[in-house]
Amino acid sequence: MSDTEHSHYPACYRTLAPGQIRVFELEPGDPSAPIVGGLVPQSIDGEPYEAVSYVWGNQRDRRELVVSGSRLSVTVNLHGALTAFRHPKSTGEKRRLWADALCINQEDLPERTSQLELMGRIFAQAHRVLSWLGWDEGEEGQRHTLAAIRFIRDFMEDPDAGILEARILLHHDPNVLGTVDPTLPPLSDEDQLRFEDQARKWKSVKVFFGIEYFHRTWIVQELGLARKAIISAAPTPSDNQALELDVIDWPLVGSFVKFLDYSGASLVTHLDLRSWVTHHILMVWETNDDGTPACDFLTGMHWARILGVTDPRDRVYSLLGHPYAVVDGELIVKPDYTISCGVLYTKLAANFIRKTKKLDAVKLVDHEVDPCLEMRVWDPGDEGIMPSWAPDWHSINRTTPLDYPIDAADAEDDWIRIEGDTNGTPGKPLPQLIVRGWVIDEISAVSHRMETTDFPVTNVAREKAKEHPFWLNRVWEVAFPTNGPPDRDALAVLESLSLALSFGIRDADEKVSKAGLNQTLEDHHRSFAAYVLQYHKLWSDANEAGDRGGYLPVSSMFDRLPAKVQRVLRLRAAGASSAGFLECMTWPSMCRVVYRTASGLVGMGSRISRPGDIVCRLRGSDELMTLRRVKGGSQNAPIPCAFVGPTVVPSRVKKGVLDGGAFGDEPAMFRVI
């Protein structure tokens, strides 16, 4: 495009050559002085610059600045970042910054698209990334931000001691139902001071991770690709007052949230901390021991689904800097704001399936509502329409992706087919996925949807306040119903349930699961036994207190077990802690259900699982899947069905066994609409 064609744009925007960016040379100034600077074109790997990471914020709340002699308006958040990051007037030094809303001509769609493809390189090449949380509003906001930063620094000097100290908040919470649990002894004066100190500190942490910055999709790439990133905030400045930035290194924040998720999941859920959202950013960029990415592009997309974005297509485009966004030397999808998000998500899933001959994309489907069981056509008026097998990355993810430690079937299959139109042509049928595999069984009973708040075992008052008090009793009734066959092996079912809840396996020489702590099978059995007995004690305490409310089951799950199984559990639980099991199962079980199949298999799967759904082993997927037969569809091959979600059935996943025939499963072909 010529400069003549750019004439309707502000004069500061001149045509960029391929591979070029603009850098804003920010003039020094005092906090209250106007923002002044100039845009300078250069190659990405030219003169050093720093990239600004921030949240755009309210588009209507804007401030003016002078750019290369032209007046431009930017959001108040960017204006605040430029104010905070510019050098004081006394230094006389310009600061070379890159900020998307300023350095890209937002009114020029072709330029936006071409610069979008460079975004990953822009942040990777930056000398440093300056992350702006925004102004600390008022005394309380300033106090919480600064207190949280100081607390995180102190906590990470000895995190094990820190998490041990924080556990007092789990067991003594006077805010439950506005009362105090009568079964608990009162706190000593010293412990009351400890409780108040911890409550104050963790409130600041909660406020800190609730800041909008940590909940926006674009920062995933901006922080993940940074050579060095500094998190900054500051009190709202007054006239001629020197700015005092509150700063903390991003890697230290990252270490803090990872530790909490792996060693303090029960605390995170109990205090309703949003720190786990920040952990999702880190998981997108995790690496193996050899430095290669441990997280593939699609799983990275899944982790980012919890984060906010204005345009749902940016769910994909904001992560194109990820190493695995490139397949066979090309981006898996090109930025294109002319297609709907439904078409984009379908094309992305189809491209990965076709190029890799794997069903990794399908493994990330996480339906919030039941899939449509009718054949549909592309409708340009429906932004979100897509096949049941394509993940809707704009819906909020509520589950941890299944990640078996061992394969359930061949992870690749050259036979996989996608039939139909993936370009969103109006009126054409949505594409169908043709796969082959085995039918394992049909689901016959399903539990309630499990929530993270269900899992911690604390005190009677806290248990009574839960939506699903004594959740383990409810789940056990599904897995091992009272009116079931008399010849069932209760211990085998119990072990299978405990493994399903943590994506576990049965091989004694392997770690039980990739989620949470790295427990051996023996450690897993011991910590689960301790968990069952801890719940039994809680039930006994409530029962002895004479509380006969509807929340209290008639009997404890433990009391319903055969005497020989009770003896095994008591033996295993001796000297063991329930913490290991709880930390391993909290995130995997969140927003999923436990089910029992017609033959008595126990599994855990999608929250939309229903009786009648079929559990399958599919070639091209290293995990088991759940499908739902299409009403009125033919029962001949291939079986017409909709995709429900991935699932785990520990007793049907065995190391080295990839063929369902080894278990007597029925071979089948499936046409997934």
Side-chain angles (χ1 to χ4, degrees):
M1 184 178 291
S2 68
D3 285 343
T4 302
E5 292 173 290
H6 271 77
S7 60
H8 63 287
Y9 298 137
C12 57
Y13 292 117
R14 297 293 179 181
T15 306
L16 289 173
Q20 275 194 328
I21 63 171
R22 299 185 187 92
V23 172
F24 183 54
E25 293 189 339
L26 175 60
E27 299 285 349
D30 295 326
S32 59
I35 299 292
V36 179
L39 289 173
V40 179
Q42 68 169 61
S43 64
I44 294 179
D45 54 0
E47 293 294 316
Y49 62 91
E50 296 169 295
V52 180
S53 175
Y54 69 105
V55 174
W56 279 38
N58 186 349
Q59 293 277 27
R60 297 180 180 179
D61 191 1
R62 306 182 74 83
R63 301 289 186 273
E64 277 199 345
L65 55 159
V66 178
V67 182
S68 301
S70 299
R71 288 194 173 276
L72 295 180
S73 72
V74 296
T75 62
V76 68
N77 278 2
L78 178 53
H79 187 274
L82 297 174
T83 301
F85 293 144
R86 69 176 163 185
H87 292 306
K89 185 177 180 180
S90 59
T91 67
E93 294 181 16
K94 296 180 180 179
R95 194 160 195 176
R96 307 186 77 250
L97 302 173
W98 185 93
D100 55 358
L102 184 57
C103 297
I104 298 174
N105 185 355
Q106 298 297 321
E107 298 176 14
D108 185 343
L109 183 58
E111 178 178 299
R112 279 177 52 202
T113 302
S114 63
Q115 290 284 290
L116 191 61
E117 291 189 38
L118 299 176
M119 197 77 80
R121 290 182 59 197
I122 290 170
F123 279 88
Q125 289 290 117
H127 170 66
R128 184 168 55 177
V129 171
L130 306 173
S131 302
W132 176 243
L133 300 184
W135 299 119
D136 294 331
E137 295 297 337
E139 265 188 44
E140 186 174 6
Q142 180 182 353
R143 177 172 59 82
H144 281 308
T145 302
L146 183 57
I149 288 174
R150 287 175 176 169
F151 175 71
I152 292 170
R153 287 200 191 102
D154 293 343
F155 183 94
M156 291 310 295
E157 290 182 4
D158 189 350
D160 290 325
I163 203 70
L164 186 62
E165 186 74 5
R167 291 193 187 280
I168 193 172
L169 300 177
L170 278 173
H171 301 286
H172 298 275
D173 190 343
N175 296 319
V176 180
L177 298 180
T179 185
V180 176
D181 184 354
T183 66
L184 290 175
L187 289 173
S188 66
D189 291 344
E190 181 181 352
D191 283 344
Q192 183 62 37
L193 290 175
R194 284 178 52 225
F195 178 91
E196 292 171 0
D197 179 60
Q198 287 295 306
R200 183 172 59 254
K201 289 175 177 177
W202 285 98
K203 180 181 179 181
S204 292
V205 171
K206 183 173 182 176
V207 171
F208 182 75
F209 286 107
I211 293 173
E212 185 184 5
Y213 176 83
F214 293 116
H215 300 268
R216 298 298 292 174
T217 300
W218 281 98
I219 72 165
V220 176
Q221 181 169 265
E222 295 166 3
L223 291 173
L225 294 173
R227 297 177 182 178
K228 183 178 182 180
I230 306 294
I231 307 289
S232 306
T236 304
S238 58
D239 290 346
N240 298 320
Q241 178 186 358
L243 279 176
E244 295 183 11
L245 290 178
D246 299 333
V247 299
I248 186 170
D249 288 345
W250 164 243
L252 186 61
V253 175
S255 297
F256 177 74
V257 299
K258 286 176 68 174
F259 179 84
L260 286 186
D261 266 10
Y262 292 140
S263 300
S266 54
L267 183 72
V268 171
T269 58
H270 179 77
L271 298 179
D272 192 25
L273 301 179
R274 302 294 301 279
S275 56
W276 59 271
V277 176
T278 305
H279 189 192
H280 282 205
I281 300 169
L282 297 165
M283 289 189 281
V284 175
W285 304 101
E286 285 185 340
T287 58
N288 299 311
D289 292 339
D290 60 2
T292 57
C295 180
D296 62 85
F297 181 75
L298 295 176
T299 304
M301 290 269 297
H302 181 87
W303 289 128
R305 280 166 64 170
I306 193 64
L307 300 165
V309 70
T310 303
D311 189 322
R313 291 166 293 194
D314 286 337
R315 296 281 182 203
V316 181
Y317 303 151
S318 64
L319 287 177
L320 290 180
H322 192 281
Y324 288 157
V326 176
V327 178
D328 297 333
E330 294 184 353
L331 282 175
I332 193 66
V333 289
K334 294 279 189 178
D336 183 355
Y337 286 99
T338 67
I339 62 175
S340 71
C341 68
V343 173
L344 173 61
Y345 296 168
T346 301
K347 287 171 69 75
L348 178 66
N351 285 351
F352 266 105
I353 291 171
R354 284 168 172 158
K355 287 179 176 291
T356 64
K357 303 300 181 183
K358 296 181 177 182
L359 297 177
D360 288 351
V362 179
K363 289 166 17 180
L364 297 168
V365 170
D366 183 24
H367 291 299
E368 294 200 58
V369 296
D370 288 346
C372 179
L373 299 181
E374 299 176 357
M375 300 293 292
R376 295 185 293 172
V377 299
W378 287 116
D379 178 2
D382 188 340
E383 273 283 316
I385 193 170
M386 66 188 74
S388 66
W389 50 266
D392 179 1
W393 279 288
H394 196 50
S395 67
I396 296 176
N397 70 311
R398 302 183 189 278
T399 57
T400 298
L402 290 186
D403 193 8
Y404 287 8
I406 57 177
D407 291 348
D410 290 317
E412 294 183 29
D413 187 16
D414 289 338
W415 191 89
I416 294 172
R417 302 284 186 271
I418 295 176
E419 295 182 356
D421 177 72
T422 58
N423 294 316
T425 306
K428 284 199 172 184
L430 269 62
Q432 300 172 25
L433 176 66
I434 317 299
V435 292
R436 57 181 181 167
W438 299 265
V439 173
I440 294 176
D441 206 351
E442 186 173 292
I443 293 176
S444 60
V446 178
S447 76
H448 70 278
R449 190 181 87 171
M450 298 177 289
E451 306 290 347
T452 54
T453 51
D454 292 344
F455 308 140
V457 185
T458 54
N459 54 60
V460 174
R462 170 61 65 180
E463 195 69 27
K464 188 175 182 179
K466 291 179 181 178
E467 183 178 353
H468 303 118
F470 292 95
W471 73 280
L472 199 57
N473 269 70
R474 299 165 182 251
V475 167
W476 183 241
E477 181 58 34
V478 170
F480 200 82
T482 306
N483 58 356
D487 59 346
R488 296 165 298 167
D489 185 339
L491 183 61
V493 175
L494 196 66
E495 290 178 347
S496 188
L497 172 63
S498 73
L499 290 168
L501 291 169
S502 59
F503 303 163
I505 60 172
R506 288 187 169 274
D507 295 74
D509 61 337
E510 302 278 350
K511 66 179 184 179
V512 173
S513 79
K514 293 182 180 180
L517 303 174
N518 187 2
Q519 291 194 124
T520 64
L521 186 60
E522 180 182 357
D523 288 340
H524 174 84
H525 286 328
R526 296 184 70 229
S527 62
F528 178 66
Y531 186 77
V532 173
L533 287 171
Q534 192 175 359
Y535 244 124
H536 175 61
K537 183 180 184 308
L538 185 65
W539 179 89
S540 299
D541 290 343
N543 190 51
E544 290 175 8
D547 193 337
R548 295 292 183 266
Y551 80 98
L552 187 66
V554 175
S555 62
S556 162
M557 166 193 167
F558 181 80
D559 285 338
R560 290 181 47 209
L561 296 172
K564 63 179 181 180
V565 177
Q566 292 182 3
R567 287 193 295 271
V568 170
L569 290 183
R570 289 193 184 280
L571 185 63
R572 289 178 177 178
S577 166
S578 65
F581 171 74
L582 184 60
E583 303 305 340
C584 284
M585 62 79 62
T586 293
W587 302 127
S589 297
M590 177 179 68
C591 293
R592 287 194 162 98
V593 299
V594 167
Y595 61 79
R596 185 184 74 255
T597 71
S599 65
L601 300 174
V602 174
M604 182 175 70
S606 165
R607 60 185 178 274
I608 67 164
S609 299
R610 302 284 183 270
D613 291 347
I614 51 177
V615 180
C616 307
R617 188 187 311 270
L618 303 180
R619 296 182 187 272
S621 171
D622 52 6
E623 294 157 10
L624 304 181
M625 301 291 184
T626 308
L627 304 174
R628 185 169 299 166
R629 297 180 190 271
V630 171
K631 296 178 180 178
S634 169
Q635 299 306 303
N636 298 325
I639 301 172
C641 51
F643 189 77
V644 172
T647 188
V648 54
V649 182
S651 61
R652 287 304 179 96
V653 179
K654 187 177 177 67
K655 191 173 182 179
V657 179
L658 305 178
D659 190 317
F663 292 102
D665 298 338
E666 177 187 350
M669 291 172 54
F670 308 93
R671 179 181 295 275
V672 189
I673 64 171

